[in-house]
Amino acid sequence: MACGDLLRRNGRVYGARVLLLVGGGDNGGDTLYAGAALARRGAGVRAVLASPDKAHPGGLAALRAAGGQVIGAPEDFAPVHLVVDGITGIGGRGGLRPDAERLVREATAGRAPVLAVDLPSGVEADTGQVLGPAVRADATVTFGTYKPGLLVDPAAEHAGALHLVDIGLGPELPQRPELEALQYADVAALLPVPSGESDKYRRGVVGVAAGSERYPGAAVLAVAGALHGGAGAVRYSGPGAQAVIARFPETLVHPGRPSEAGRVQSWVCLLYTRAWATAPTRRRRWPTSSPPTCRYWSTPTGCG
C-alpha cells in the first residue's frame, strides 16, 4: 500500500519501475514479497541482492513468480521511479558496510523516492543513533510497533513519513510504552477548548521579548508563532515594535521593559547581547545597563 501511494504521487503503479535493495533474513523477505505484490499490479520490479546466499527463498520465489527479476547492479535498471530499502533490519548495527553503502549510493543517484522496510538501513533501532552511513528514506513502513530509532533523532530524520502495519503484536506489548511520540491529534486533545466564557486573559497571554530595531525578524517570527499557538493574546516588548504592529496589528505592543508590559503568563525570550544592550543609540529603548532577562521560557511553534 505504501509503495503504491508513493508511486501514485509521481504517476501510477502500472508501468512504474521499482528497484529493491534486498538484504538477508526476514527483512529482505518482506522487501521481496512487497516487490511481488507490485509486480502483480503491473510494475516492473528488479531486485539487487546484497547477500545472494542469504536471500529469503520464499520471497525470492514469490518475486520471480510475479514477473520480477534479480539483477546485478542498480545501473542495470536505471532510471527508476521507486527504491525500496530492505538491506538491514532491527538487528543491524554500526551503519552500512562499504558494499551496501555503494549500493545505496548508486540506487539513489537518480533521486527517486525511497521507501524503507521496517526502518532505514544503517540506523540503530533501539537508540536512534546513526553510527555510520545510513539510508535516508522518504517514508518507512514498520511492523508491529514503532521502534525507538524511528522516533528519536538523529535516526528519526532518516525515516521520513511513518506508516505502522499491525501484525497482531498487541497482546505481547506492554500496556504502557517506554517511548511516546505525540502526533497532531494527541497535541490537539491536550489543548483546552475555548468556551462562551473565555476571554483573552483566561486563555493565557504570551509575552515576547525579541528582535531589535535593525533586525526585527526575530520579533516578527516569535510573535507569529505565539499567535498561531492558540494563546488568548500576545504582548510584545522590545525595539521591534513597529515591525510587529505592522505585520500583526492584534498584538499588544509595549516599547519598554518586559517587566512593565502588563499581565503575561509565559515569556518567549530571545536574549540580546551585552553589546546591544549597552549601545548608546539603543539604550533609550531599553532603560537598563544589562540585557533584559526573562523568568519564564517557552519555544513558540513556527519561529524558524
Side-chain angles (χ1 to χ4, degrees), residues 155-256:
E157 296 180 355
H158 290 250
L162 298 179
H163 178 71
L164 176 66
V165 176
D166 184 3
I167 57 174
L169 294 183
E172 308 299 325
L173 299 175
Q175 291 186 349
R176 186 177 181 84
E178 295 184 5
L179 180 67
E180 293 181 300
L182 296 181
Q183 304 302 302
Y184 294 115
D186 302 316
V187 175
L190 294 173
L191 297 175
V193 178
S195 67
E197 297 180 350
S198 297
D199 58 40
K200 61 186 178 183
Y201 294 113
R202 292 185 182 183
R203 293 179 60 188
V205 180
V206 173
V208 175
S212 67
E213 254 182 299
R214 185 175 181 182
Y215 301 109
V220 173
L221 288 173
V223 168
L227 287 170
H228 287 84
V234 177
R235 290 187 186 275
Y236 173 77
S237 178
Q242 290 185 356
V244 169
I245 204 69
R247 181 65 180 83
F248 301 108
E250 67 270 38
T251 308
L252 306 173
V253 171
H254 178 74

Side-chain angles (χ1 to χ4, degrees), residues 221-226 268 298-304:
L221 288 173
V223 168
V268 178
S298 67
T299 303
T301 302
C303 290

Side-chain angles (χ1 to χ4, degrees), residues 1 10 23 36 66 74 82 90 110 116 149 153 169 197 209 242-243 251 254 257 270 289:
M1 179 184 298
N10 296 278
L82 176 68
I90 58 176
D153 287 330
L169 294 183
E197 297 180 350
Q242 290 185 356
T251 308
H254 178 74
R257 299 179 181 180
L270 303 179
S289 59

Side-chain angles (χ1 to χ4, degrees), residues 15 40 55 61 97 242 253 276:
R40 288 193 294 269
R97 302 300 183 263
Q242 290 185 356
V253 171
W276 180 92

Side-chain angles (χ1 to χ4, degrees), residues 3-4 6-8 10-19 35 38-39 41-46 77 79-82:
C3 292
L6 279 176
L7 288 171
R8 280 191 292 271
N10 296 278
R12 59 182 182 175
V13 177
Y14 186 86
R17 297 165 65 89
V18 180
L19 180 64
L38 289 172
R41 294 176 60 183
V45 182
R46 302 292 185 270
F77 191 55
V80 298
H81 302 110
L82 176 68

Side-chain angles (χ1 to χ4, degrees), residues 43-141:
V45 182
R46 302 292 185 270
V48 178
L49 306 181
S51 302
D53 57 327
K54 297 180 180 179
H56 192 281
L60 199 54
L63 177 69
R64 286 171 168 155
Q69 300 178 22
V70 175
I71 59 176
E75 57 262 28
D76 297 338
F77 191 55
V80 298
H81 302 110
L82 176 68
V83 177
V84 182
D85 161 41
I87 299 175
T88 63
I90 58 176
R93 296 289 184 272
L96 294 172
R97 302 300 183 263
D99 288 346
E101 181 187 7
R102 176 185 54 78
L103 190 64
V104 170
R105 185 171 58 252
E106 293 175 356
T108 57
R111 300 188 180 278
V114 178
L115 177 78
V117 176
D118 211 18
L119 79 164
S121 296
V123 307
E124 303 290 315
D126 295 332
T127 65
Q129 293 176 295
V130 179
L131 302 177
V135 169
R136 283 192 175 271
D138 296 280
T140 297
V141 177

